[in-house]
PDB file of all heavy atoms in Angstrom:
ATOM      1  N   VAL A 102      46.639  31.398 -60.518  1.00 95.00           N
ATOM      2  CA  VAL A 102      47.973  31.838 -60.930  1.00 95.00           C
ATOM      3  C   VAL A 102      47.883  32.697 -62.184  1.00 95.00           C
ATOM      4  O   VAL A 102      47.053  32.456 -63.055  1.00 95.00           O
ATOM      5  CB  VAL A 102      48.914  30.619 -61.143  1.00 95.00           C
ATOM      6  CG1 VAL A 102      48.389  29.691 -62.224  1.00 95.00           C
ATOM      7  CG2 VAL A 102      50.331  31.048 -61.460  1.00 95.00           C
ATOM      8  N   LYS A 103      48.740  33.712 -62.246  1.00 97.00           N
ATOM      9  CA  LYS A 103      48.829  34.518 -63.459  1.00 97.00           C
ATOM     10  C   LYS A 103      49.377  33.641 -64.577  1.00 97.00           C
ATOM     11  O   LYS A 103      50.334  32.881 -64.368  1.00 97.00           O
ATOM     12  CB  LYS A 103      49.783  35.699 -63.261  1.00 97.00           C
ATOM     13  CG  LYS A 103      49.272  36.789 -62.367  1.00 97.00           C
ATOM     14  CD  LYS A 103      50.321  37.888 -62.244  1.00 97.00           C
ATOM     15  CE  LYS A 103      49.855  39.004 -61.351  1.00 97.00           C
ATOM     16  NZ  LYS A 103      50.930  39.991 -61.121  1.00 97.00           N
ATOM     17  N   ARG A 104      48.801  33.770 -65.752  1.00 96.00           N
ATOM     18  CA  ARG A 104      49.268  33.001 -66.906  1.00 96.00           C
ATOM     19  C   ARG A 104      50.762  33.245 -67.152  1.00 96.00           C
ATOM     20  O   ARG A 104      51.530  32.332 -67.416  1.00 96.00           O
ATOM     21  CB  ARG A 104      48.466  33.367 -68.152  1.00 96.00           C
ATOM     22  CG  ARG A 104      48.960  32.675 -69.421  1.00 96.00           C
ATOM     23  CD  ARG A 104      48.074  32.961 -70.602  1.00 96.00           C
ATOM     24  NE  ARG A 104      46.722  32.496 -70.348  1.00 96.00           N
ATOM     25  CZ  ARG A 104      46.341  31.212 -70.408  1.00 96.00           C
ATOM     26  NH1 ARG A 104      47.215  30.281 -70.711  1.00 96.00           N
ATOM     27  NH2 ARG A 104      45.103  30.869 -70.157  1.00 96.00           N
ATOM     28  N   GLU A 105      51.198  34.487 -67.055  1.00 96.00           N
ATOM     29  CA  GLU A 105      52.604  34.821 -67.308  1.00 96.00           C
ATOM     30  C   GLU A 105      53.541  34.113 -66.325  1.00 96.00           C
ATOM     31  O   GLU A 105      54.654  33.736 -66.683  1.00 96.00           O
ATOM     32  CB  GLU A 105      52.823  36.332 -67.274  1.00 96.00           C
ATOM     33  CG  GLU A 105      52.618  36.941 -65.897  1.00 96.00           C
ATOM     34  CD  GLU A 105      52.624  38.452 -65.887  1.00 96.00           C
ATOM     35  OE1 GLU A 105      51.714  39.055 -66.482  1.00 96.00           O
ATOM     36  OE2 GLU A 105      53.549  39.025 -65.273  1.00 96.00           O
ATOM     37  N   ILE A 106      53.087  33.913 -65.098  1.00 96.00           N
ATOM     38  CA  ILE A 106      53.901  33.205 -64.103  1.00 96.00           C
ATOM     39  C   ILE A 106      53.986  31.726 -64.459  1.00 96.00           C
ATOM     40  O   ILE A 106      55.058  31.116 -64.397  1.00 96.00           O
ATOM     41  CB  ILE A 106      53.337  33.413 -62.676  1.00 96.00           C
ATOM     42  CG1 ILE A 106      53.395  34.883 -62.289  1.00 96.00           C
ATOM     43  CG2 ILE A 106      54.055  32.536 -61.666  1.00 96.00           C
ATOM     44  CD1 ILE A 106      54.796  35.497 -62.309  1.00 96.00           C
ATOM     45  N   PHE A 107      52.850  31.142 -64.860  1.00 96.00           N
ATOM     46  CA  PHE A 107      52.879  29.740 -65.274  1.00 96.00           C
ATOM     47  C   PHE A 107      53.856  29.562 -66.438  1.00 96.00           C
ATOM     48  O   PHE A 107      54.635  28.609 -66.479  1.00 96.00           O
ATOM     49  CB  PHE A 107      51.489  29.240 -65.678  1.00 96.00           C
ATOM     50  CG  PHE A 107      51.459  27.778 -66.020  1.00 96.00           C
ATOM     51  CD1 PHE A 107      51.329  26.825 -65.030  1.00 96.00           C
ATOM     52  CD2 PHE A 107      51.595  27.348 -67.339  1.00 96.00           C
ATOM     53  CE1 PHE A 107      51.331  25.468 -65.328  1.00 96.00           C
ATOM     54  CE2 PHE A 107      51.586  26.001 -67.649  1.00 96.00           C
ATOM     55  CZ  PHE A 107      51.460  25.064 -66.645  1.00 96.00           C
ATOM     56  N   GLN A 108      53.853  30.496 -67.381  1.00 95.00           N
ATOM     57  CA  GLN A 108      54.746  30.397 -68.531  1.00 95.00           C
ATOM     58  C   GLN A 108      56.203  30.537 -68.111  1.00 95.00           C
ATOM     59  O   GLN A 108      57.072  29.861 -68.659  1.00 95.00           O
ATOM     60  CB  GLN A 108      54.356  31.438 -69.588  1.00 95.00           C
ATOM     61  CG  GLN A 108      53.021  31.108 -70.234  1.00 95.00           C
ATOM     62  CD  GLN A 108      52.446  32.246 -71.061  1.00 95.00           C
ATOM     63  OE1 GLN A 108      52.772  33.405 -70.881  1.00 95.00           O
ATOM     64  NE2 GLN A 108      51.543  31.887 -71.973  1.00 95.00           N
ATOM     65  N   LYS A 109      56.505  31.392 -67.126  1.00 95.00           N
ATOM     66  CA  LYS A 109      57.877  31.535 -66.625  1.00 95.00           C
ATOM     67  C   LYS A 109      58.336  30.274 -65.900  1.00 95.00           C
ATOM     68  O   LYS A 109      59.450  29.807 -66.080  1.00 95.00           O
ATOM     69  CB  LYS A 109      57.982  32.725 -65.673  1.00 95.00           C
ATOM     70  CG  LYS A 109      58.044  34.061 -66.342  1.00 95.00           C
ATOM     71  CD  LYS A 109      58.205  35.139 -65.273  1.00 95.00           C
ATOM     72  CE  LYS A 109      58.072  36.513 -65.868  1.00 95.00           C
ATOM     73  NZ  LYS A 109      58.127  37.551 -64.826  1.00 95.00           N
ATOM     74  N   VAL A 110      57.468  29.763 -65.027  1.00 95.00           N
ATOM     75  CA  VAL A 110      57.819  28.591 -64.225  1.00 95.00           C
ATOM     76  C   VAL A 110      57.892  27.340 -65.107  1.00 95.00           C
ATOM     77  O   VAL A 110      58.748  26.490 -64.930  1.00 95.00           O
ATOM     78  CB  VAL A 110      56.801  28.394 -63.070  1.00 95.00           C
ATOM     79  CG1 VAL A 110      57.031  27.083 -62.340  1.00 95.00           C
ATOM     80  CG2 VAL A 110      56.878  29.566 -62.108  1.00 95.00           C
TER      81      VAL A 110
END
Side-chain angles (χ1 to χ4, degrees):
V102 60
K103 288 179 180 174
R104 176 175 300 283
E105 67 189 65
I106 297 301
F107 184 84
Q108 291 168 338
K109 282 182 188 176
V110 172

